[in-house]
Amino acid sequence: MSQLEIKNLHVSIGDKEIVKGLSLTIKGGEVHAIMGPNGTGKSTLSKAIAGHPDYTITSGEVLLDGVSILEKEADERARAGIFLAFQYPSEIPGVSIANFLRAALQARLADGEEIDASGYYKRLYAKMDLLKIDRKFTSRAVNDGFSGGEKKRCEILQMAMLEPKVALMDETDSGLDIDALRIVADGVNTMRGPNLGVLLITHYQRLLDYIVPDYVHVMYDGRIVKSGDKNLAHELEAKGYDWIKKELATAQA
Amino acid sequence: MKPPTETDILPDSAEAAAMENPAVGIDQSAGNFSYNMEYAFDAGTGLSEDTIRYISSVKKEAPWILEFRLKALKKFFSMPMPTHWATKDLENIDFQKIRYYLSQGQKPKRTWDEVPDDIKKTFERLGIPEQERKFLAGVEAQFDSEAAYSNIKEIVSKQGVIFVNSTEGLREHPELFKKFFGKVIPTGDNKFSALNSAVFSGGSFIYVPPGVKVAQPLQAYVRINAENFGQFERTLIIADEGSEVVYMEGCTAPKFSTSTLHSAVVELVALKGAKIQYITVQNWANNVFNLVTKRGIAHEDAEIKWIDCNIGSRLTMKYPGVVLKGERARGEVISIALANDGQHQDTGAKMIHAANNTTSNIVAKSISVGQGRSTYRGVVHIPKHLKGCKNNTECDALLINTNSRTDTYPAISVRGDKNSTQHEASVSKVSEDMIFYMQQRGLTEGQAMSLAVNGFINDLARQFPMEYSVELKRLIDLEMEGSVG
């Protein structure tokens, strides 16, 4: 069983510190939700773990199965088992989803090893059936002209094919209607199991009605300020984030 | 003659890679080798009337050809370099330091066994005999100034198709040759067409009889082996009424420290209802000045399509054109250019509408990597008195790095109100976010770049024959490897 350990992580963009000492351990089989108001560093956290060059990790550790990933390039982290489902996935004109995924899987093989084409398509189609995705979908260019829902579906399919150890899902629910939200939730629920740890980053409780988390964390001003189970999400829904802010202010006073 | 000694310019590892991958020879590293040769025929260094007389005499040409050449030489000397619109880099060509004619003989062999060993080895290394067996109707392999090998499958020659080099064409089919030679591209079209007309050697002469559809492509492979050399092949393709032919040319040269000049003239004539497709994969080493004039005339209901891919060279200036002379004629230019560090791809297309209801289509895509520069120049001309003419022009440029450069100079003159044209242009950059997205899926930065570039040209690459598009992809992967970081 895999685990991702984040230890006292500090992340800056330029001179500005965004994540200010965050610790969290995600074990295989667990779904953690991070909630919090806008601008508290939720997306920064996920991009920094994935290795985006704009984000500087100034101190702290991120270990995947006990091994630090911070010295690795983004692609090495991906191949080690970190998957980031993007809030705004990029478009890659002219590259079909099928070819893109094939290249991504090929990149995981040793030099000189060729991916088995028929085996690959068999697996791709099996995953698509599982996620109820139409066969024609993978001949389209990656995210090129896709609706919001199609982009998320594309992210979920990639996640299913790449079988990461840890999936970081960055505001996967933003801008989705209820049908698209169901697609994402069904996909994640299908993949849920001992081999996958999930970090769900979300602004709203709504997604958590469909993907029920094991743990809920509230992030505020670059740190986790409160943790609990799924009921914490309901509490936040009822009372809003101001309640947390007040509690914090009292504690600090 | 001394036995040839092999000099390789590449380090061992790269040479090994070149040997492993000789497929179509558009991988530039695969072409980077040369053999020390002693040439039986050598016009020496520099350009004068004597050079011309030497070339003409070893070819045993008819007097009218010598006259044609000498007139062209005068024209060449009288014309200025076109640097008022083109790059000043042209001024770095020293015409008196170039060798204008090098060959082992004027008659190509019909079987590979007869080809001298060192020349045969060159083409074997580039994979030409293998391709010939696999999917070509005929091959002509030019080594420096003359074709070393030329052959056409019997089934094709029985249909009356002529496929020889220009020297043989002039000797054996003078009437046919003379009728069309220099008619599509006159000597004085530009300074380099004049130069070619003076010193031309090699290139193909093809005639396809009425109604004959050549099922497999004919291929020419042009190879520069010698240093300080100028290669000036001259190609003339005539597709008679209702016939069809596909012609492919590939080219490589070793990378010498001094520059090399390649200046070809290609003339196509598609008579009524004929179809010509001309495919070029240019992968010269990046010390080659590649200054080529290509034009076709499409008669009534005829179709000429140029598929042009420029990856190598130091400077390429090439604007394939079609003169749409007959009603309902169609012209098309599909062009891919990739300019890496130290390279300038100055390419484009010309469409001259000269009859009613003619249509033309130009799709040009360029990729600039590092400090590479790509330029698109296009001319579309539809005069006022015509009606029902249509043109579509699309040019898209992709910039890989912030210091890459692209320029677009479209000139579209459409007179009258009974014609239509549409023009679309775009410049895009491979964004950091796109690369990060792909890296997050496990691709290295170089692999991500390759994939982005291959995606950009994907719709055009599909128009290439299978063997070429596979190689094209592989070549782009190679070019992208060193472009990041």
Side-chain angles (χ1 to χ4, degrees):
Chain A
M1 208 166 59
S2 291
Q3 83 172 14
L4 184 77
E5 295 166 83
I6 307 163
K7 293 181 179 170
N8 195 25
L9 193 71
H10 291 254
V11 184
S12 298
I13 303 175
D15 293 337
K16 196 167 189 272
E17 184 165 62
I18 309 287
V19 176
K20 303 168 178 173
L22 183 143
S23 299
L24 178 65
T25 298
I26 302 161
K27 294 194 174 97
E30 295 176 350
V31 174
H32 292 249
I34 287 194
M35 302 180 70
N38 283 330
T40 53
K42 301 190 301 290
S43 288
T44 300
L45 174 68
S46 66
K47 283 188 178 152
I49 295 171
H52 194 289
D54 289 352
Y55 299 79
T56 315
I57 291 173
T58 50
S59 70
E61 264 302 345
V62 179
L63 307 172
L64 181 61
D65 297 335
V67 180
S68 172
I69 60 166
L70 295 184
E71 293 303 309
K72 293 179 200 284
E73 294 289 325
D75 54 302
E76 292 174 282
R77 297 183 197 193
R79 295 195 297 272
I82 306 273
F83 182 91
L84 172 61
F86 286 70
Q87 186 178 4
Y88 305 109
S90 289
E91 300 186 359
I92 315 174
V95 179
S96 71
I97 295 173
N99 281 340
F100 182 54
L101 273 170
R102 191 172 163 166
L105 288 166
Q106 177 71 50
R108 285 162 168 78
L109 299 179
D111 266 352
E113 237 179 290
E114 269 299 314
I115 199 164
D116 164 48
S118 67
Y120 162 71
Y121 277 101
K122 224 170 128 182
R123 202 170 141 247
L124 178 63
Y125 291 144
K127 297 282 187 192
M128 290 170 80
D129 290 347
L130 192 68
L131 299 171
K132 300 185 187 73
I133 294 174
D134 191 275
R135 288 278 162 93
K136 279 182 236 148
F137 188 61
T138 49
S139 58
R140 294 174 62 186
V142 180
N143 299 321
D144 193 6
F146 282 18
S147 68
E150 285 169 332
K151 283 185 177 171
K152 304 295 159 154
R153 201 187 285 248
C154 182
E155 295 291 285
I156 294 298
L157 176 62
Q158 292 177 54
M159 183 171 148
M161 283 299 283
L162 299 175
E163 296 182 340
K165 292 173 179 167
V166 180
L168 314 168
M169 311 195 70
D170 186 8
E171 304 265 0
T172 304
D173 51 334
S174 69
L176 293 192
D177 59 25
I178 207 75
D179 292 333
L181 197 64
R182 277 219 177 90
I183 295 165
V184 172
D186 286 353
V188 173
N189 289 330
T190 308
M191 284 180 263
R192 232 172 140 161
N195 298 321
L196 179 68
V198 178
L199 181 65
L200 275 180
I201 292 168
T202 182
H203 192 64
Y204 301 106
Q205 143 72 21
R206 195 174 64 149
L207 179 68
L208 305 183
D209 288 339
Y210 296 92
I211 307 172
V212 181
D214 301 302
Y215 304 95
V216 174
H217 311 278
V218 181
M219 193 166 170
Y220 182 70
D221 194 26
R223 292 178 197 89
I224 289 176
V225 293
K226 200 170 180 64
S227 296
D229 61 10
K230 62 179 181 193
N231 294 319
L232 178 57
H234 292 292
E235 215 176 330
L236 283 171
E237 178 83 348
K239 298 187 191 169
Y241 289 111
D242 284 348
W243 154 66
I244 300 278
K245 290 179 196 170
K246 271 182 206 145
E247 220 180 70
L248 263 178
T250 320
Q252 277 164 1
Chain B
M1 206 176 99
K2 280 187 298 186
T5 51
E6 191 174 326
T7 43
D8 280 296
I9 294 148
L10 284 180
D12 288 348
S13 59
E15 196 216 325
M19 290 302 283
E20 271 167 30
N21 175 27
V24 183
I26 65 166
D27 168 355
Q28 207 166 78
S29 65
N32 193 10
F33 64 92
S34 70
Y35 294 97
N36 276 338
M37 302 255 320
E38 282 191 7
Y39 293 91
F41 301 91
D42 182 348
T45 301
L47 182 62
S48 68
E49 275 201 15
D50 290 343
T51 323
I52 307 301
R53 287 181 197 284
Y54 178 84
I55 295 171
S56 197
S57 78
V58 297
K59 286 173 177 288
K60 300 185 180 68
E61 286 177 342
W64 73 268
I65 306 172
L66 176 64
E67 229 168 275
F68 177 91
R69 287 181 183 277
L70 289 170
K71 239 170 91 182
L73 184 71
K74 278 208 187 83
K75 189 87 203 167
F76 167 71
F77 282 134
S78 74
M79 290 177 86
M81 273 290 193
T83 41
H84 58 288
W85 60 270
T87 167
K88 296 250 182 300
D89 193 23
L90 287 174
E91 286 163 5
N92 293 313
I93 304 171
D94 187 340
F95 293 102
Q96 295 307 334
K97 282 191 176 154
I98 290 171
R99 295 194 278 174
Y100 287 83
Y101 184 85
L102 291 172
S103 85
Q104 296 289 34
Q106 288 74 36
K107 207 169 163 48
K109 306 299 184 220
R110 298 290 180 223
T111 69
W112 283 105
D113 284 341
E114 298 168 73
V115 174
D117 268 352
D118 39 359
I119 298 178
K120 189 168 77 179
K121 255 199 286 184
T122 297
F123 289 112
E124 269 172 0
R125 230 165 127 165
L126 296 166
I128 309 303
E130 190 195 336
Q131 286 173 54
E132 181 181 11
R133 283 190 297 274
K134 278 204 308 217
F135 72 104
L136 298 170
V139 167
E140 188 193 283
Q142 180 169 344
F143 192 84
D144 292 333
S145 294
E146 296 281 4
Y149 171 85
S150 171
N151 197 24
I152 179 169
K153 284 184 180 154
E154 206 184 323
I155 184 165
V156 187
S157 63
K158 272 190 178 154
Q159 292 176 299
V161 176
I162 300 168
F163 177 40
V164 292
N165 71 358
S166 68
T167 314
E168 282 182 287
L170 277 166
R171 205 160 42 213
E172 287 156 33
H173 312 278
E175 290 315 307
L176 202 50
F177 206 109
K178 208 173 169 178
K179 190 172 166 192
F180 297 100
F181 178 61
K183 300 292 193 296
V184 186
I185 302 170
T187 296
D189 186 82
N190 62 75
K191 190 170 175 73
F192 292 93
S193 64
L195 177 63
N196 175 283
S197 300
V199 297
F200 72 91
S201 183
S204 304
F205 173 69
I206 294 172
Y207 171 76
V208 187
V212 172
K213 295 180 169 69
V214 185
Q216 287 179 305
L218 298 171
Q219 194 192 39
Y221 198 89
V222 269
R223 170 73 181 169
I224 291 178
N225 185 66
E227 199 166 356
N228 293 322
F229 180 66
Q231 190 173 50
F232 307 94
E233 82 265 19
R234 182 98 192 188
T235 290
L236 173 59
I237 301 177
I238 302 150
D240 214 326
E241 292 189 5
S243 69
E244 288 177 21
V245 65
V246 176
Y247 181 83
M248 307 199 297
E249 63 174 2
C251 30
T252 60
K255 192 179 170 184
F256 294 115
S257 52
T258 55
S259 57
T260 309
L261 174 61
H262 174 257
S263 190
V265 167
V266 176
E267 298 176 287
L268 310 182
V269 180
L271 296 173
K272 190 177 172 182
K275 283 185 187 171
I276 302 177
Q277 206 179 108
Y278 193 107
I279 303 166
T280 304
V281 178
Q282 180 270 104
N283 188 33
W284 294 117
N286 56 13
N287 61 327
V288 175
F289 284 96
N290 183 46
L291 311 167
V292 172
T293 312
K294 289 181 162 168
R295 198 171 304 150
I297 290 185
H299 290 260
E300 210 178 318
D301 295 305
E303 185 180 306
I304 290 180
K305 183 171 182 174
W306 298 97
I307 299 181
D308 200 45
C309 176
N310 295 293
I311 291 169
S313 83
R314 164 176 171 168
L315 169 68
T316 284
M317 289 176 63
K318 188 187 348 169
Y319 322 97
V322 183
V323 179
L324 300 148
K325 199 180 172 191
E327 289 215 10
R328 294 173 302 279
R330 295 177 302 278
E332 193 166 3
V333 173
I334 303 289
S335 153
I336 298 174
L338 193 153
N340 216 325
D341 279 334
Q343 290 186 295
H344 184 180
Q345 305 285 8
D346 194 328
T347 59
K350 282 183 191 174
M351 291 295 175
I352 310 299
H353 291 255
N356 289 335
N357 302 311
T358 48
T359 51
S360 61
N361 184 34
I362 301 169
V363 185
K365 296 204 177 195
S366 72
I367 302 138
S368 308
V369 187
Q371 301 194 34
R373 178 178 173 193
S374 55
T375 302
Y376 171 82
R377 293 178 209 271
V379 172
V380 176
H381 179 69
I382 305 178
K384 193 175 178 179
H385 65 276
L386 297 182
K387 58 175 200 277
C389 297
K390 283 186 196 128
N391 164 262
N392 174 58
T393 300
E394 283 170 50
C395 28
D396 300 315
L398 183 70
L399 302 175
I400 301 292
N401 308 84
T402 43
N403 51 355
S404 314
R405 176 171 170 188
T406 184
D407 321 275
T408 303
Y409 305 96
I412 298 179
S413 60
V414 181
R415 310 269 140 89
D417 51 8
K418 297 180 183 73
N419 302 301
S420 77
T421 181
Q422 56 184 36
H423 178 248
E424 279 176 47
S426 76
V427 177
S428 48
K429 199 175 172 304
V430 175
S431 71
E432 197 178 72
D433 278 343
M434 190 207 264
I435 295 299
F436 176 67
Y437 182 74
M438 291 195 263
Q439 276 190 283
Q440 212 299 309
R441 299 305 184 242
L443 300 167
T444 63
E445 199 179 354
Q447 288 167 338
M449 282 286 187
S450 291
L451 205 59
V453 170
N454 274 303
F456 174 71
I457 60 158
N458 184 34
D459 50 337
L460 298 191
R462 263 187 280 176
Q463 304 210 27
F464 283 70
M466 178 66 172
E467 288 78 3
Y468 274 82
S469 63
V470 168
E471 273 306 300
L472 195 60
K473 184 186 173 304
R474 208 204 319 245
L475 186 67
I476 285 168
D477 292 348
L478 270 172
E479 291 281 325
M480 289 301 123
E481 253 172 34
S483 70
V484 293

